[in-house]
Amino acid sequence: IAGITQAPTSQILAAGRRMTLRCTQDMRHNAMYWYRQDLGLGLRLIHYSNTAGTTGKGEVPDGYSVSRANTDDFPLTLASAVPSQTSVYFCASSSTGGAWNSPLHFGNGTRLTVT
Amino acid sequence: AQSVTQLDSHVSVSEGTPVLLRCNYSSSYSPSLFWYVQHPNKGLQLLLKYTSAATLVKGINGFEAEFKKSETSFHLTKPSAHMSDAAEYFCVVSGSAGQFYFGTGTSLTVIP
């Protein structure tokens, strides 16, 4: 089934540890995104990539980094996790990045708890 | 700049009665607008999207939304609520740089 695969589904992580959340899509979409979802705050953009080889900062980029070596993969790395990064993380993709009414497609999320 | 305001954080309706979830947007140009639904512990699923071709947009599961430029609104409606409609709903506007701006969500409860 075509779509977005995120791994792991959930993770408990000690503060100070490094963690990479994986995201792979098989729809050949140009644009990919990482959001975090927190109660009462909706979804906030962490980083995005409009095409392979380029990335950009979103609303809440501090403490996170991304790379886009190819079209399909867009990993999110927490270099040194802190408890405020406890959240549900969603990866999404879009064929034309919102222009011409192209919607976002979402993965099922990664629930991360930093202790 | 683009932004979205969902006017109700929680909406409760009885099964079989109409649903109205309100969304206002702000955009410096003609926007793309979307409604997404999120069931517990799931990702977000597209309900419908606005194209400039028609102001009344029909989506999945009997939902529809009307784009009103004069009121900068994009409210989501359904004539008759079903128990399976209980979920979180997000209104989204897209920006010129390919970014998406989310409302804070409306939690819909359906009472049997």
Coordinates of all heavy atoms in Angstrom, one line a residue, chain B residues 35-71:
Chain B
W35 N -9.5 20.3 5.1 CA -9.9 19.7 6.3 C -9.4 18.3 6.5 O -9.5 17.5 5.5 CB -11.4 19.7 6.5 CG -12.1 21.0 6.9 CD1 -12.7 21.9 6.2 CD2 -12.2 21.4 8.3 NE1 -13.1 22.9 7.0 CE2 -12.8 22.6 8.3 CE3 -11.8 20.8 9.5 CZ2 -13.1 23.3 9.5 CZ3 -12.1 21.5 10.7 CH2 -12.7 22.8 10.6
Y36 N -8.8 18.1 7.7 CA -8.3 16.7 8.0 C -9.0 16.2 9.2 O -9.4 17.0 10.1 CB -6.8 16.8 8.3 CG -5.9 17.0 7.0 CD1 -5.7 18.2 6.5 CD2 -5.3 15.8 6.4 CE1 -4.9 18.4 5.4 CE2 -4.5 16.0 5.3 CZ -4.3 17.3 4.8 OH -3.5 17.4 3.7
V37 N -9.1 14.9 9.3 CA -9.6 14.2 10.5 C -8.5 13.3 11.1 O -7.8 12.7 10.3 CB -10.9 13.4 10.1 CG1 -10.6 12.3 9.1 CG2 -11.5 12.8 11.4
Q38 N -8.5 13.3 12.4 CA -7.6 12.4 13.1 C -8.3 11.6 14.1 O -8.8 12.1 15.1 CB -6.5 13.2 13.8 CG -5.4 12.3 14.4 CD -4.4 13.1 15.1 OE1 -4.6 14.2 15.6 NE2 -3.2 12.6 15.2
H39 N -8.4 10.3 13.9 CA -8.9 9.4 14.9 C -7.9 9.0 16.0 O -6.7 9.2 15.7 CB -9.5 8.1 14.3 CG -10.8 8.4 13.5 ND1 -10.8 8.7 12.2 CD2 -12.1 8.5 13.9 CE1 -12.0 8.9 11.8 NE2 -12.8 8.8 12.8
P40 N -8.2 8.6 17.1 CA -7.3 8.4 18.2 C -6.1 7.5 17.8 O -6.3 6.4 17.2 CB -8.1 7.7 19.3 CG -9.5 8.3 19.1 CD -9.6 8.4 17.6
N41 N -4.9 7.9 18.1 CA -3.7 7.2 17.8 C -3.5 6.9 16.4 O -2.9 5.9 16.0 CB -3.7 5.9 18.6 CG -3.8 6.1 20.1 OD1 -3.0 7.0 20.7 ND2 -4.7 5.4 20.8
K42 N -4.0 7.8 15.5 CA -3.8 7.6 14.1 C -3.2 8.9 13.5 O -3.2 9.9 14.1 CB -5.2 7.4 13.4 CG -5.8 6.1 13.8 CD -5.1 4.9 13.3 CE -5.8 3.6 13.6 NZ -5.1 2.4 13.2
G43 N -2.8 8.8 12.2 CA -2.3 9.9 11.5 C -3.5 10.7 11.0 O -4.7 10.4 11.2
L44 N -3.3 11.8 10.3 CA -4.3 12.7 9.8 C -4.7 12.2 8.4 O -3.9 11.9 7.6 CB -3.8 14.1 9.7 CG -3.8 14.9 11.0 CD1 -2.7 14.5 12.0 CD2 -3.8 16.4 10.8
Q45 N -6.0 12.2 8.2 CA -6.6 11.8 6.9 C -7.3 13.0 6.2 O -8.0 13.7 6.9 CB -7.5 10.7 7.1 CG -8.2 10.1 5.8 CD -9.3 9.1 6.1 OE1 -9.7 8.9 7.2 NE2 -9.6 8.4 5.1
L46 N -7.1 13.2 5.0 CA -7.7 14.3 4.2 C -9.2 14.0 4.1 O -9.6 12.9 3.6 CB -7.1 14.4 2.9 CG -7.6 15.5 2.0 CD1 -7.3 16.9 2.5 CD2 -7.1 15.4 0.5
L47 N -10.0 15.0 4.5 CA -11.4 14.9 4.3 C -11.9 15.6 3.0 O -12.7 15.0 2.3 CB -12.2 15.7 5.5 CG -12.5 14.9 6.7 CD1 -13.2 15.9 7.7 CD2 -13.4 13.7 6.5
L48 N -11.3 16.8 2.8 CA -11.7 17.5 1.6 C -10.7 18.6 1.4 O -10.0 19.0 2.3 CB -13.1 18.0 1.6 CG -13.5 18.8 2.9 CD1 -13.1 20.3 2.8 CD2 -15.0 18.7 3.0
K49 N -10.7 19.2 0.1 CA -9.8 20.3 -0.2 C -10.6 21.3 -1.0 O -11.4 20.9 -1.8 CB -8.5 19.8 -0.8 CG -8.8 19.2 -2.2 CD -7.5 18.8 -2.8 CE -7.7 18.2 -4.2 NZ -6.4 17.8 -4.9
Y50 N -10.2 22.5 -0.9 CA -10.8 23.6 -1.7 C -10.0 23.9 -2.9 O -8.8 24.0 -2.9 CB -10.9 24.9 -0.8 CG -11.2 26.1 -1.7 CD1 -12.4 26.3 -2.3 CD2 -10.2 27.0 -1.9 CE1 -12.7 27.4 -3.1 CE2 -10.5 28.2 -2.7 CZ -11.7 28.3 -3.3 OH -12.0 29.4 -4.1
T51 N -10.7 23.9 -4.1 CA -10.2 24.3 -5.3 C -11.0 25.5 -5.7 O -12.1 25.7 -5.4 CB -10.2 23.3 -6.4 OG1 -11.6 23.0 -6.8 CG2 -9.6 22.0 -5.9
S52 N -10.4 26.4 -6.6 CA -11.1 27.6 -6.9 C -12.3 27.3 -7.9 O -13.1 28.2 -8.2 CB -10.1 28.6 -7.6 OG -9.6 27.9 -8.7
A53 N -12.5 26.1 -8.3 CA -13.5 25.8 -9.2 C -14.9 25.8 -8.6 O -15.9 26.2 -9.3 CB -13.3 24.4 -9.9
A54 N -15.0 25.5 -7.3 CA -16.4 25.5 -6.7 C -16.2 25.9 -5.3 O -15.3 25.5 -4.6 CB -17.0 24.1 -6.8
T55 N -17.1 26.7 -4.8 CA -17.1 27.2 -3.4 C -17.6 26.1 -2.4 O -17.2 26.1 -1.2 CB -17.8 28.5 -3.2 OG1 -19.2 28.3 -3.6 CG2 -17.2 29.6 -4.0
L56 N -18.5 25.2 -2.9 CA -19.0 24.1 -2.0 C -18.2 22.9 -2.4 O -18.3 22.4 -3.5 CB -20.5 24.0 -2.2 CG -21.1 22.9 -1.3 CD1 -21.0 23.3 0.2 CD2 -22.6 22.7 -1.7
V57 N -17.5 22.4 -1.4 CA -16.6 21.2 -1.6 C -17.2 20.0 -0.9 O -17.5 20.1 0.3 CB -15.2 21.5 -1.1 CG1 -14.3 20.3 -1.4 CG2 -14.6 22.8 -1.7
K58 N -17.3 18.9 -1.6 CA -17.7 17.7 -1.0 C -16.5 16.8 -0.7 O -15.6 16.7 -1.5 CB -18.7 17.0 -1.9 CG -20.0 17.8 -2.1 CD -21.1 17.0 -2.8 CE -22.3 17.8 -3.1 NZ -23.0 18.2 -1.8
G59 N -16.6 16.1 0.5 CA -15.5 15.3 0.8 C -16.0 13.9 1.1 O -17.0 13.5 0.7
I60 N -15.1 13.1 1.9 CA -15.5 11.8 2.2 C -16.4 11.7 3.4 O -16.5 12.7 4.1 CB -14.2 10.9 2.5 CG1 -13.4 11.5 3.7 CG2 -13.3 10.9 1.2 CD1 -12.3 10.6 4.1
N61 N -17.1 10.6 3.5 CA -17.9 10.3 4.7 C -19.1 11.3 4.9 O -19.5 11.5 6.0 CB -17.1 10.2 6.0 CG -16.0 9.1 5.9 OD1 -16.2 8.1 5.2 ND2 -14.9 9.3 6.6
G62 N -19.5 11.9 3.8 CA -20.6 12.8 3.9 C -20.3 14.3 4.3 O -21.3 15.1 4.5
F63 N -19.1 14.6 4.5 CA -18.7 15.9 4.9 C -18.6 16.9 3.7 O -18.3 16.4 2.6 CB -17.3 15.9 5.6 CG -17.4 15.4 7.0 CD1 -17.2 14.1 7.3 CD2 -17.7 16.3 8.1 CE1 -17.2 13.6 8.6 CE2 -17.8 15.8 9.4 CZ -17.5 14.5 9.7
E64 N -18.9 18.1 4.0 CA -18.7 19.1 3.0 C -18.3 20.5 3.6 O -18.5 20.6 4.9 CB -19.9 19.3 2.1 CG -21.2 19.8 2.8 CD -22.3 19.8 1.8 OE1 -22.4 19.0 0.9 OE2 -23.2 20.8 2.0
A65 N -17.7 21.4 2.9 CA -17.3 22.6 3.4 C -17.6 23.7 2.3 O -17.5 23.4 1.1 CB -15.8 22.6 3.8
E66 N -17.9 24.9 2.8 CA -18.2 26.0 1.9 C -17.1 27.1 2.1 O -16.9 27.6 3.2 CB -19.6 26.6 2.1 CG -19.9 27.6 1.1 CD -21.4 28.0 1.2 OE1 -22.1 27.6 2.2 OE2 -21.8 28.8 0.3
F67 N -16.5 27.5 1.0 CA -15.5 28.6 1.0 C -16.3 29.9 0.8 O -17.0 30.1 -0.2 CB -14.5 28.4 -0.1 CG -13.6 29.5 -0.3 CD1 -12.6 29.7 0.6 CD2 -13.7 30.4 -1.4 CE1 -11.7 30.8 0.5 CE2 -12.8 31.4 -1.6 CZ -11.8 31.6 -0.6
K68 N -16.1 30.8 1.8 CA -16.7 32.1 1.7 C -15.6 33.2 1.8 O -15.2 33.5 2.9 CB -17.8 32.3 2.8 CG -19.0 31.4 2.7 CD -20.1 31.7 3.7 CE -21.3 30.9 3.5 NZ -22.4 31.2 4.5
K69 N -15.3 33.7 0.7 CA -14.2 34.6 0.7 C -14.5 35.9 1.4 O -13.6 36.4 2.2 CB -13.8 35.0 -0.8 CG -12.6 35.9 -0.9 CD -12.3 36.1 -2.4 CE -11.0 36.9 -2.5 NZ -10.6 37.1 -4.0
S70 N -15.7 36.4 1.3 CA -16.1 37.6 2.0 C -16.0 37.5 3.5 O -15.8 38.5 4.2 CB -17.5 38.0 1.6 OG -18.4 37.0 2.0
E71 N -16.2 36.3 4.0 CA -16.2 36.0 5.5 C -14.8 35.4 5.9 O -14.7 35.1 7.1 CB -17.3 35.1 5.9 CG -18.7 35.7 5.6 CD -19.8 34.8 5.9 OE1 -19.6 33.8 6.6 OE2 -21.0 35.1 5.6

